[in-house]
Amino acid sequence: MGVAVLGLGNVGSEVVRILEASADDLAARIGAPLVLRGVGVRRVADDRGVPVELLTDDVDSLVSRSDVDIVVELMGPVEPARNAILSAIKHGKSVITANKALLSRSTGELAEAAETARVDMYFEASVAGAIPVIRPLTQSLAGDTVLRVAGIVNGTTNYILSEMDSTGADYASALADASALGYAEADPTADVEGYDAAAKAAILASIAFHTRVTADDVYREGITNITPEDAAAARALGCTIKLLAICERISSRGGQQRVSARVYPALVPLEHPLATVNGAFNAVVVEAEAAGRLMFYGQGAGGSPTASAVMGDLVMAARNRVQGGRGPRESKYAQLAIAPIGDVQTRYYVSMDVADKPGVLATVAAEFAAHEVSIAEVRQEGVTDEEGQPIGARIVVVTHRAAESALSETVAALAELDAVQQVASVLRLEGTDQ
């Protein structure tokens, strides 16, 4: 089986290394040897750790070669990867990709091209690195009904929030630590603003619910506004804060099923399995009708973990070609509507700075009641300046389950009250049934 690898970064270099180091074992597992035909790069040079004769900057020619059976795309970003994949498929090559940004926008186009050409397209490495999530959803749970997929799918933000929780650091300091350790990119926007997690949520929702979901369908909030005070309040409530990607089926009052896909920082109770996932690790919890709750945990990024997932896909694609079969195809039969964020129900944590005077708490509680948002817990504490002089009070409200639209209306009304100086934080509370 002839293999072309596009990209020679951390993941691509590791894939090339494994192809050479494990050649005999791979051949035995597949039934034919995997032979590296070429590596597509931006810069051809003799210092890339690969024989220079295998390197080329002419990707179109490489993916169309008659001795290439499988193309492994690891170069990103959306372009030129999209054109390279479409060209490979057009020429009858099976494709493996880890390109979450591309998949979350062009899954339909790529899947239809693969179906027309009758080739495989695998993308396990696009979500959660080495953690097997895509294959269990497409194969192991193919006979079950998935209800909800929720998880921590971005290691950078999980490291930052873990540091804020354990050390009391502010966001900027925790981000600087993540950058120093190599967890954060030079431009961390895609991670800290939730774009990376939203792309992965779109992929997971599409597979779990047999409905095409794009990144634009995913409601997204990042972690840049999380404060040490939020982390401390979460601890006081027996919670920690995590950036969650949540995909679930929700039903309207008339019984119509829809898909909700969303990414935001949320309070998670310490007894929930996701609360114990710290540092740069990832975890995904899948809930299905028959299987119940399943959890997948491990390293969600990095050259070696991601290469492991790529190699798993490569072996599957190669086996299929040797045996004359094909892997799972896109399943979009359900075509469920996407639920707007306003229709989603969850619990909320609302923190506000208020005037320290009688009657304020009653006024605040009245606004929640007026918008039919039930209060589960309230805490009020004094706020002092740097010299210890009282300057107001802080009220923290934890609600029962309520619609996002009702909570938004409540927050807007609170901000208009004379007694409320500012609504400092609004966070969801996930992982409870109340």
Side-chain angles (χ1 to χ4, degrees), residues 278-300:
N278 292 314
F281 279 76
N282 284 190
V284 177
V285 175
V286 178
E287 297 177 24
E289 278 189 355
R293 176 184 284 181
L294 308 171
M295 181 170 175
F296 304 88
Y297 168 84
Q299 295 191 53

Side-chain angles (χ1 to χ4, degrees), residues 228-298:
E229 290 76 18
D230 291 328
R235 288 194 298 274
L237 293 167
C239 297
T240 188
I241 299 175
K242 300 293 185 183
L243 182 72
L244 298 182
I246 301 171
C247 315
E248 65 180 343
R249 294 175 185 265
I250 64 172
S251 297
S252 66
R253 290 180 180 177
Q256 178 190 16
Q257 287 199 338
R258 294 176 294 168
V259 172
S260 167
R262 54 198 193 267
V263 168
Y264 46 56
L267 277 69
V268 179
L270 294 178
E271 62 269 18
H272 193 280
L274 290 177
T276 62
V277 180
N278 292 314
F281 279 76
N282 284 190
V284 177
V285 175
V286 178
E287 297 177 24
E289 278 189 355
R293 176 184 284 181
L294 308 171
M295 181 170 175
F296 304 88
Y297 168 84

Side-chain angles (χ1 to χ4, degrees), residues 15 29 103 135 137 154-155 167 176 182 245 250 259 301 309 321 389 400:
V15 167
R29 296 169 194 172
L103 290 168
R135 193 162 289 118
L137 286 172
N154 182 273
T167 70
I250 64 172
V259 172
R321 292 186 81 98
Q389 298 299 312
H400 291 295

Side-chain angles (χ1 to χ4, degrees), residues 24 39 45-46 63 90 144 237 244 278 374 403 425:
D24 291 343
V39 180
D46 59 7
V63 302
K90 179 182 177 181
D144 207 340
L237 293 167
L244 298 182
N278 292 314
S374 174
S425 269

Side-chain angles (χ1 to χ4, degrees), residues 97-118:
T97 180
N99 197 326
K100 54 190 171 289
L102 172 60
L103 290 168
S104 68
R105 288 166 171 77
S106 301
T107 298
E109 178 186 26
L110 300 178
E112 288 173 3
E115 182 62 26
T116 298
R118 300 188 65 78

